[in-house]
Amino acid sequence: MSPAFGAMEVEHYAKGVLLEPFLHQVGGHSCVLRFNDKTICKPLIQREHLFYETLPAEIRKFTPQYKGVVSVSFEEDEDGNLCLIAYPLNRDQDNLENVDFMSDCSESKSKLLRWSNKKGLLLENDNLTKERVRQHRKEEKIKSHKLEEEFEWLKKSEVLYYSVEKKGNVSSQFKHNPWSMKCHQQQLQRMKENAKHRNQYKFILLENLTCRYQVPCVLDLKMGTRQHGDDASEEKKANQIQKCQQSTSAIIGVRVCGMQVYQTGTGQLMFMNKYHGRKLSVQGFKEALYQFFHNGKTLRRELIDPVIKKLTELKMVLEKQESYRFYSSSLLIIYDGKELQEVPMDSDSEDLGDLSEESSDESAGAYAYKPSSNKHAASNVDVRMIDFAHTTCKFYREDSVVHEGQDTGYIFGLQNLLAIIKEIRDDSSE
């Protein structure tokens, strides 16, 4: 690496933010990256960007908050690490809402997840023999090969269970969601291949919907009976139609695109990807939805009515929208897998300190997890629309096709989703 590049890198890191994989991405194919605790970013697509800048106020509460645009470049540091760095667009921070670059970039680089393409390095002053050096490199190569094999296996697996360690902060112990890592790897590879010709990309900044949850449980549902946009090629159109016909999309207007759910019974996270979701029958879809609300011990009934309420509100909002079509859009349902700890009424107030998950398990009934109140559950549940790369409406003046009336395919999916969730609620109460 040239001294000039090294100097440039130091200057850039002082002004830019090192992006990390967003570990709670459960669906989609576009790479989502973590900008900071409250903000994520994804490659800018003009149609989606237009949607966020023009969306009706009544829809805004059902979408992530839009925070602006950043410039992202693919860089290599002095240690050979491949990094994605975000900078204010045109060095102008006025286009960013509620984003503080200086505080974001003050995090230690050593604490951030990096993609490394370097080999294990041994310093000469370690006084190692050549044989030990060779042995070390051989071990590093075997270790690297095993990790690559494991990652390839993870990418091909459609349903996975990962144990979550109990010690410390649960959220800090997450294994990587294999889907998020697959999307990140693909994005990094694309940018690496294009680095010689293009190394500046625009990304949009969006609210991180999972940031307030200790253990986010996320369900990504592909909504509607049609997935291809008006501008899709004949090949793309045929491909999307086939996917809908071979999945629950054509039958009930909704299919599972990804899932991440925490099961307290086994202390495991369960991941389900879109390939498995496409294979589900209507009955399989119902079972997957039941599984999403089940913590491994019991059904989280207190979450169901708040979800129904939010979905009903969304349905009413969409029924009033004229000419919008949300082709290939997804709907996220999110809740916290870690329930509130409550203590018996006869407990001393001085005992109400910081209770770890371990203490609650080991205290012979002195403390226990109890279902959250309905009031808390309502605030503990989130329902949001995402992914608008193929959205259209009459206000998009460059579009050759203008639709009239409601997005009946999306609303049809919402109606069936509501019916199934109500069925789960009613069956569980019998």
Side-chain angles (χ1 to χ4, degrees):
M1 181 181 299
S2 69
F5 183 84
M8 178 184 71
E9 181 211 352
V10 172
E11 179 184 355
H12 279 185
Y13 274 100
K15 298 177 182 178
V17 173
L18 182 61
L19 302 176
E20 305 174 69
F22 177 60
L23 301 183
H24 305 306
Q25 179 182 359
V26 301
H29 61 271
S30 181
C31 176
V32 178
L33 299 167
R34 178 189 177 278
F35 183 86
N36 61 27
D37 286 343
K38 296 182 179 181
T39 308
I40 60 171
C41 62
K42 60 184 294 192
L44 184 150
I45 298 173
Q46 290 296 342
R47 185 173 294 274
E48 182 170 42
H49 187 216
L50 178 61
F51 172 80
Y52 277 113
E53 290 193 319
T54 62
L55 80 167
E58 57 268 29
I59 294 182
R60 189 168 290 122
K61 66 180 291 187
F62 291 104
T63 63
Q65 179 190 3
Y66 166 71
K67 299 187 177 186
V69 180
V70 291
S71 176
V72 174
S73 64
F74 174 91
E75 300 180 15
E76 181 177 340
D77 68 10
E78 70 278 4
D79 295 322
N81 293 305
L82 305 179
C83 311
L84 295 179
I85 315 295
Y87 305 107
L89 193 62
N90 299 324
R91 296 294 187 263
D92 178 10
Q93 297 189 32
D94 293 338
N95 72 312
L96 302 180
E97 303 173 12
N98 306 319
V99 177
D100 185 350
F101 262 80
M102 296 314 296
S103 64
D104 293 329
C105 69
S106 63
E107 298 182 60
S108 170
K109 287 197 294 179
S110 63
K111 295 181 180 179
L112 297 174
L113 182 61
R114 313 288 293 281
W115 286 85
S116 176
N117 67 343
K118 63 180 180 178
K119 297 180 179 179
L121 299 179
L122 295 173
L123 301 179
E124 293 180 2
N125 58 9
D126 287 340
N127 295 322
L128 296 174
T129 65
K130 290 183 179 180
E131 180 59 33
R132 290 179 62 192
V133 171
R134 282 194 293 269
Q135 181 63 27
H136 174 82
R137 288 176 175 167
K138 182 179 179 181
E139 291 173 356
E140 288 295 313
K141 187 174 182 179
I142 293 174
K143 187 187 300 182
S144 175
H145 183 66
K146 286 182 178 179
L147 288 173
E148 288 177 5
E149 285 184 340
E150 180 183 5
F151 186 56
E152 287 301 316
W153 176 79
L154 290 176
K155 287 195 297 183
K156 295 175 183 177
S157 300
E158 296 179 356
V159 180
L160 291 167
Y161 292 86
Y162 280 168
S163 295
V164 179
E165 298 179 34
K166 284 190 173 183
K167 293 182 180 180
N169 187 338
V170 176
S171 62
S172 69
Q173 304 295 337
F174 274 122
K175 298 257 187 178
H176 297 300
N177 185 318
W179 189 257
S180 69
M181 301 306 288
K182 176 181 180 178
C183 292
H184 192 156
Q185 186 187 57
Q186 290 175 340
Q187 177 70 27
L188 199 71
Q189 186 61 35
R190 284 194 296 267
M191 295 179 73
K192 180 180 180 181
E193 292 171 354
N194 295 331
K196 292 182 180 180
H197 309 287
R198 179 189 176 196
N199 196 27
Q200 291 293 321
Y201 297 81
K202 290 182 180 179
F203 278 52
I204 58 172
L205 295 174
L206 299 170
E207 172 189 4
N208 176 6
L209 300 174
T210 68
C211 67
R212 63 191 180 98
Y213 302 113
Q214 292 189 61
V215 186
C217 295
V218 185
L219 177 64
D220 186 321
L221 299 170
K222 187 72 72 174
M223 301 300 298
T225 53
R226 168 181 160 176
Q227 302 301 324
H228 62 277
D230 292 325
D231 58 346
S233 65
E234 288 302 315
E235 181 182 1
K236 180 74 171 179
K237 180 179 177 180
N239 181 261
Q240 292 293 350
I241 290 175
Q242 184 181 38
K243 288 178 182 177
C244 288
Q245 291 176 339
Q246 295 177 347
S247 69
T248 55
S249 291
I251 307 171
I252 57 175
V254 55
R255 72 173 184 256
V256 173
C257 194
M259 183 194 299
Q260 171 177 294
V261 60
Y262 179 61
Q263 301 178 317
T264 58
T266 58
Q268 290 181 322
L269 278 166
M270 188 275 285
F271 300 126
M272 181 185 295
N273 69 26
K274 68 178 183 181
Y275 301 114
H276 186 76
R278 286 181 197 162
K279 297 175 183 178
L280 296 175
S281 63
V282 173
Q283 181 58 35
F285 177 86
K286 293 178 181 179
E287 292 171 357
L289 211 57
Y290 180 89
Q291 188 173 22
F292 176 67
F293 288 109
H294 202 285
N295 66 6
K297 290 182 178 179
T298 184
L299 188 71
R300 297 283 302 274
R301 294 181 182 86
E302 78 280 4
L303 301 172
I304 294 180
D305 279 336
V307 168
I308 291 174
K309 183 174 184 294
K310 289 180 182 290
L311 289 174
T312 303
E313 291 175 0
L314 174 60
K315 178 173 167 289
M316 293 173 62
V317 167
L318 293 185
E319 287 173 340
K320 297 176 182 178
Q321 303 308 312
E322 174 67 27
S323 83
Y324 271 97
R325 295 295 181 272
F326 300 98
Y327 299 134
S328 199
S329 177
S330 284
L331 186 69
L332 294 184
I333 301 177
I334 311 171
Y335 69 86
D336 202 334
K338 188 170 185 182
E339 301 172 67
L340 280 182
Q341 281 181 297
E342 297 182 1
V343 294
M345 294 299 293
D346 57 353
S347 297
D348 295 334
S349 59
E350 62 187 37
D351 292 332
L352 307 181
D354 294 330
L355 302 177
S356 69
E357 186 176 357
E358 286 185 309
S359 67
S360 67
D361 288 341
E362 299 171 354
S363 55
Y367 304 102
Y369 287 120
K370 295 183 179 180
S372 307
S373 67
N374 286 334
K375 182 177 179 181
H376 172 75
S379 64
N380 192 36
V381 166
D382 209 351
V383 172
R384 304 287 186 104
M385 302 171 70
I386 61 167
D387 296 341
F388 305 102
H390 302 286
T391 294
T392 182
C393 79
K394 61 184 178 182
F395 305 114
Y396 295 10
R397 296 178 180 176
E398 295 183 0
D399 287 0
S400 58
V401 180
V402 177
H403 300 273
E404 295 182 0
Q406 306 169 343
D407 187 339
T408 55
Y410 196 113
I411 293 172
F412 176 67
L414 276 178
Q415 290 171 336
N416 286 310
L417 178 61
L418 277 163
I420 292 170
I421 295 177
K422 289 176 182 178
E423 182 182 327
I424 291 172
R425 177 197 61 187
D426 296 342
D427 287 349
S428 67
S429 62
E430 294 177 354

